[in-house]
Amino acid sequence: MVDVVEIERTASRISVAPHKHWERAEAEALYNLPFADLMFQAQGVHRANFNPNHVETASLLSIKTGGCPEDCGYCSQSAQYDTGLKATRLMPRDEVVAVAQRAKDAGATRFCMAAAWRSPKDRDLDQVCDMVSAVKGLGMETCVTLGMLTPDQAERLSEAGLDFYNHNVDTSPEYYDKIITTRTLQDRIDTLAHVRDAGIKVCCGGIIGMGEQVDDRLGMLMLLANLPSHPESVPINLWNEVKGVPVNDTAERPDPIALVRLVATARIMMPQSVVRLSAGRQYMTDELQAMCFLAGANSIFIGDVLLTTKNPQRDRDADLLDRLGITSRLA
Ligand code: SAM
Ligand code: DTB
Ligand code: SF4
């Protein structure tokens, strides 16, 4: 008998179109274009690849919070810093499914489950696979972010029907060691390759506002755009302030125009990737978000909290998208 699921998974492994290699000078030249020229180019690319009047809505749930052994200098969930966060155990499947159902009713099309692990233990992965199958059964797209994976673990998630795996490069290769020391950038690239090889779509981006320079932000985009294939989803997070973590010593909220330029540059460098305006929307005005959508951002997280930090209220998002004539599942 023909195994349709296996055929689809194999097809997704081989159907990735080749893409150009980005040199630093090219990325810089784009980013530094006069603003109107950059926006014009970004909108052309956006319109050629997407409905420019539509934004995807995803919802996040922390299924296992805090107590993480990694030292990511921005994160409330690292056990290495005193952030005042209470650690919790892995949530039971039925509770997760109930939250996913509420997220679907509130207008989310994708449900992303996050766990504060360096990497999952095999018995934890069994439970996550169960959650993935159950959430998929609600008719939602599924995404998980569980830390580093072995090839076998990625394969098991794929067999459970997982659509996306989120694993960020976080920042540029040059700035990386100032933020994280317990896991290397190469470790991350290896996990991304295992995810890709298992036929799961890749969600990979990073954070700005941690004290990095524009060069680092462009270095991060080059890293993403020069992966063997572009991530299907590229989350751009603005650092959501967390007390007690080292990033407080260097953090600087980026100039809003610099954020719009970065989104436009990401749109042009990765034409077919969905660019998600992720954490940090709580600090953005309606006008700034509108500019980011014009520049090519076409996904947001909805819901009052992300994992442990704040996100705009659903009604504010619904009102903003309505005023912009942007369609979404948020009515
Ligand atoms: N523990 C897993 C891992 O790191 O691979 C998954 C969860 S982790 C919270 C997912 C991503 O969220 C991080 O890689 C980082 O890019 C982003 N993130 C974490 N804390 C953040 C913050 N305070 N502001 C913005 N983005 C953040
Ligand atoms: C991503 O790039 N952003 C999301 C998702 N992937 C897992 C996480 C944002 C977390 C913001 C900080 C917090 O709420 O703890
Ligand atoms: Fe742990 Fe992920 Fe937070 Fe790093 S970002 S400390 S790996 S939960």
Side-chain angles (χ1 to χ4, degrees):
M1 206 177 82
V2 178
D3 185 340
V4 177
V5 174
E6 184 52 34
I7 289 172
E8 282 177 358
R9 284 171 54 212
T10 308
S12 77
R13 284 172 220 199
I14 58 177
S15 66
V16 177
H19 60 75
K20 86 176 236 79
H21 180 87
W22 284 90
E23 300 295 339
R24 177 165 286 275
E26 295 174 302
E28 279 176 5
L30 263 184
Y31 181 89
N32 290 314
L33 278 172
F35 190 70
D37 293 347
L38 174 61
M39 291 295 273
F40 184 70
Q41 207 169 310
Q43 288 189 357
V45 171
H46 195 192
R47 283 171 180 270
N49 291 285
F50 293 98
N51 171 355
N53 301 309
H54 182 76
V55 160
E56 172 192 274
T57 43
S59 182
L60 268 175
L61 176 67
S62 180
I63 57 171
K64 187 268 170 191
T65 305
C68 182
E70 302 292 291
D71 72 351
C72 311
Y74 49 77
C75 185
S76 60
Q77 305 199 66
S78 168
Q80 310 217 14
Y81 316 121
D82 184 9
T83 66
L85 188 74
K86 190 172 161 292
T88 64
R89 297 163 70 90
L90 183 60
M91 282 172 71
R93 185 193 70 166
D94 292 352
E95 275 180 35
V96 172
V97 175
V99 178
Q101 180 65 58
R102 287 202 294 276
K104 183 181 178 191
D105 295 343
T109 59
R110 185 178 308 169
F111 193 64
C112 178
M113 295 160 268
W117 289 321
R118 172 173 167 78
S119 50
K121 296 196 176 63
D122 283 341
R123 69 165 186 281
D124 292 328
L125 198 73
D126 290 339
Q127 293 190 57
V128 174
C129 285
D130 227 22
M131 292 174 195
V132 166
S133 306
V135 172
K136 240 185 127 57
L138 300 179
M140 301 182 87
E141 287 184 318
T142 51
C143 177
V144 297
T145 177
L146 315 171
M148 296 184 287
L149 295 182
T150 63
D152 179 59
Q153 289 178 324
E155 206 51 59
R156 283 170 56 201
L157 285 165
S158 178
E159 279 159 17
L162 182 69
D163 296 300
F164 291 84
Y165 194 82
N166 167 247
H167 199 57
N168 290 343
V169 294
D170 278 351
T171 187
S172 69
E174 294 76 20
Y175 202 64
Y176 186 91
D177 294 349
K178 297 194 175 57
I179 302 293
I180 304 128
T181 70
T182 49
R183 133 198 316 173
T184 65
L185 188 51
Q186 189 58 49
D187 289 333
R188 293 180 189 247
I189 307 277
D190 291 347
T191 288
L192 293 172
H194 302 329
V195 167
R196 194 50 94 195
D197 286 348
I200 300 168
K201 286 179 268 201
V202 169
C203 172
C204 183
I207 313 177
I208 65 171
M210 302 191 293
E212 75 292 331
Q213 302 300 305
V214 169
D215 277 355
D216 294 305
R217 297 177 196 155
L218 290 177
M220 178 175 92
L221 291 191
M222 286 171 58
L223 183 59
L224 296 168
N226 288 334
L227 286 171
S229 42
H230 290 165
E232 282 80 1
S233 277
V234 177
I236 296 186
N237 297 277
L238 198 60
W239 183 56
N240 255 354
E241 199 182 319
V242 172
K243 298 266 183 297
V245 297
V247 157
N248 281 290
D249 299 339
T250 53
E252 203 177 333
R253 196 135 323 129
D255 161 39
I257 302 296
L259 171 64
V260 181
R261 281 187 177 277
L262 196 74
V263 170
T265 308
R267 165 52 61 232
I268 297 165
M269 290 173 73
M270 293 169 280
Q272 296 184 343
S273 304
V274 169
V275 176
R276 182 172 310 109
L277 206 51
S278 300
R281 282 197 307 114
Q282 59 165 332
Y283 306 124
M284 298 180 201
T285 62
D286 288 354
E287 296 87 334
L288 175 56
Q289 293 185 60
M291 291 275 260
C292 289
F293 297 139
L294 281 177
N298 54 354
S299 177
I300 56 172
F301 283 122
I302 58 164
D304 303 351
V305 279
L306 292 167
L307 299 176
T308 67
T309 61
K310 282 192 194 146
N311 198 43
Q313 302 269 320
R314 184 188 180 284
D315 288 353
R316 180 181 159 197
D317 283 339
D319 177 58
L320 174 62
L321 297 185
D322 183 48
R323 280 184 290 142
L324 297 173
I326 290 179
T327 60
S328 74
R329 279 278 323 282
L330 269 186

